[in-house]
Amino acid sequence: MMSQIIPEVTLNDGVTLPAIGFGTYSLNGNEGANAIKHAIDIGYRLIDSAYNYENEGTVGEAVRRSSVPREKLFITSKLPGRYQTYDKAVTTIQESLYRANLDYYDLYLIHWPNPKQDNYVEAWQALIDAKKWGFIRSIGVCNFLPEHIERLEKETGIKPSINQIELHPFFNQAEQRSWHEEHNIKTESWSPLARANAVLENETIKKIADRHHKTVSQVILRWHYQLGAIPIPKSASPARQLENISIFDFSLDETEMSMITGLTRPDGRINNQDPAIYEEF
Ligand SMILES: NC(=O)c1ccc[n+]([C@@H]2O[C@H](COP(=O)([O-])OP(=O)(O)OC[C@H]3O[C@@H](n4cnc5c(N)ncnc54)[C@H](OP(=O)(O)O)[C@@H]3O)[C@@H](O)[C@H]2O)c1
């Protein structure tokens, strides 16, 4: 089977990961394991899971079904909001490992800041310690605003390697991305295809795609890559998995990049989940 060559990205802690990954939300059970195994077979190495997706076991199973050695893979999971106090966070990280039957995660993220609960600094301390104990190679966050990240650094001395945020052409996160760049934190893009909403029918992107003989999804994922963000598209379909990873044989020029970036709009989030107020447990 064809295997793609994917560029590498280096994080602020020296850990490296692929420039594109594979999302697993809603891939569960035997079918999910087969879909994830297929993604690994064709070249995906970065696999994004979460305790709350109830599929860490499925991801672990896919890893065992694949012929790629564990150390060549980059497996991510995430701490749910309901377990952010220190002791609960520590046992949840262990439970995440048991569910996947893995000895370590390459990346573990706090799933949402839930600022009203005010427990995310404790959760962060648990991630820092779990890294020291060898359970996790790199630690990061999702959906954190600059003020939340600043607090982590001020209170623990350690900043995240990655912030995984909602990012797609309808919500380009320009300010948050440049803040990450200034602070040497990598941006990872969740719902990079905006969950296949109207963005895939967008005429501007369609024209660019036709010019390059690529699909709209490929152009969008290439746009993420050229922004310096790491997209993690999910697909259950073998053909679309291959389509999504085949983005390293063309490039967008500056005009094309700004045309896509210019499609953003203030209400462009897919589910109106503003991390300043939205909470997830
Ligand atoms: N940290 C967070 O808070 C957070 C939140 C949301 C998501 N995530 C992570 O980010 C990952 C990706 O986000 P997502 O799953 O929400 O959305 P997404 O990757 O933007 O889109 C997935 C949807 O697009 C379809 N699709 C994929 N490739 C396509 C293509 N080439 N052409 C047409 N349709 C295509 C998929 O259908 P098929 O499967 O049928 O191809 C699926 O319906 C998740 O799986 C999860 O790992 C994290």
Side-chain angles (χ1 to χ4, degrees):
M1 221 174 270
M2 190 159 80
S3 201
Q4 305 293 315
I5 297 177
I6 302 171
E8 293 254 295
V9 174
T10 304
L11 301 175
N12 62 24
D13 55 10
V15 170
T16 58
L17 79 167
I20 186 169
F22 184 70
T24 69
Y25 177 63
S26 78
L27 297 176
N28 299 71
N30 184 51
E31 253 181 62
N34 280 338
I36 299 165
K37 177 194 177 286
H38 183 270
I40 296 172
D41 284 343
I42 62 165
Y44 289 90
R45 294 293 175 264
L46 159 56
I47 310 292
D48 184 77
S49 180
Y51 194 94
N52 270 353
Y53 303 166
E54 306 281 6
N55 70 356
E56 291 162 311
T58 301
V59 168
E61 178 61 19
V63 169
R64 282 182 294 282
R65 287 184 190 179
S66 94
S67 52
V68 175
R70 165 69 186 94
E71 64 275 12
K72 301 268 188 222
L73 296 168
F74 192 94
I75 317 284
T76 305
S77 196
K78 314 190 190 83
L79 180 75
R82 65 189 179 284
Y83 299 137
Q84 286 190 349
T85 54
Y86 181 84
D87 289 344
K88 282 187 179 160
V90 168
T91 50
T92 302
I93 293 164
Q94 291 165 338
E95 178 64 21
S96 279
L97 288 167
Y98 302 152
R99 287 182 176 194
N101 197 10
L102 294 173
D103 299 329
Y104 66 93
Y105 279 98
D106 296 277
L107 179 67
Y108 207 85
L109 308 170
I110 300 177
H111 208 146
W112 283 89
N114 288 4
K116 273 182 277 178
Q117 308 300 317
D118 199 22
N119 289 324
Y120 63 81
V121 180
E122 268 189 57
W124 186 240
Q125 191 58 57
L127 265 63
I128 293 170
D129 291 343
K131 183 180 170 183
K132 279 187 202 139
W133 300 326
F135 296 157
I136 308 171
R137 292 178 58 225
S138 188
I139 56 177
V141 294
C142 306
N143 306 302
F144 271 48
L145 298 172
E147 71 217 53
H148 306 139
I149 297 179
E150 270 165 356
R151 234 188 108 197
L152 295 184
E153 199 176 3
K154 202 161 127 216
E155 296 191 29
T156 68
I158 297 185
K159 68 179 170 189
S161 59
I162 280 188
N163 190 11
Q164 183 185 110
I165 54 173
E166 177 174 356
L167 171 50
H168 45 74
F170 288 164
F171 203 71
N172 77 27
Q173 297 268 22
E175 263 180 57
Q176 181 84 33
R177 282 189 290 106
S178 69
W179 192 89
H180 289 167
E181 256 170 58
E182 271 166 44
H183 292 82
N184 194 17
I185 293 166
K186 287 289 174 204
T187 304
E188 196 170 34
S189 314
W190 64 255
S191 296
L193 300 171
R195 273 192 199 153
N197 72 6
V199 81
L200 295 191
E201 303 302 321
N202 183 272
E203 287 302 326
T204 305
I205 310 180
K206 266 189 189 167
K207 275 189 201 130
I208 297 172
D210 288 346
R211 203 179 298 150
H212 290 278
H213 307 290
K214 289 282 170 184
T215 66
V216 168
S217 298
Q218 287 172 324
V219 166
I220 294 173
L221 294 167
R222 179 74 199 187
W223 170 79
H224 284 273
Y225 171 64
Q226 289 187 214
L227 288 179
I230 302 163
I232 46 168
K234 170 263 167 186
S235 180
S237 136
R240 288 191 288 277
Q241 288 176 3
L242 184 59
E243 175 186 337
N244 293 346
I245 207 176
S246 306
I247 60 163
F248 299 107
D249 56 356
F250 75 111
S251 63
L252 302 170
D253 65 27
E254 264 178 50
T255 314
E256 293 168 326
M257 284 296 290
S258 28
M259 282 165 83
I260 302 170
T261 305
L263 298 172
T264 199
R265 38 189 216 220
D267 64 347
R269 292 186 196 272
I270 33 184
N271 281 323
N272 198 24
Q273 295 172 335
D274 176 355
I277 41 178
Y278 175 78
E279 295 189 291
E280 196 169 292
F281 295 93

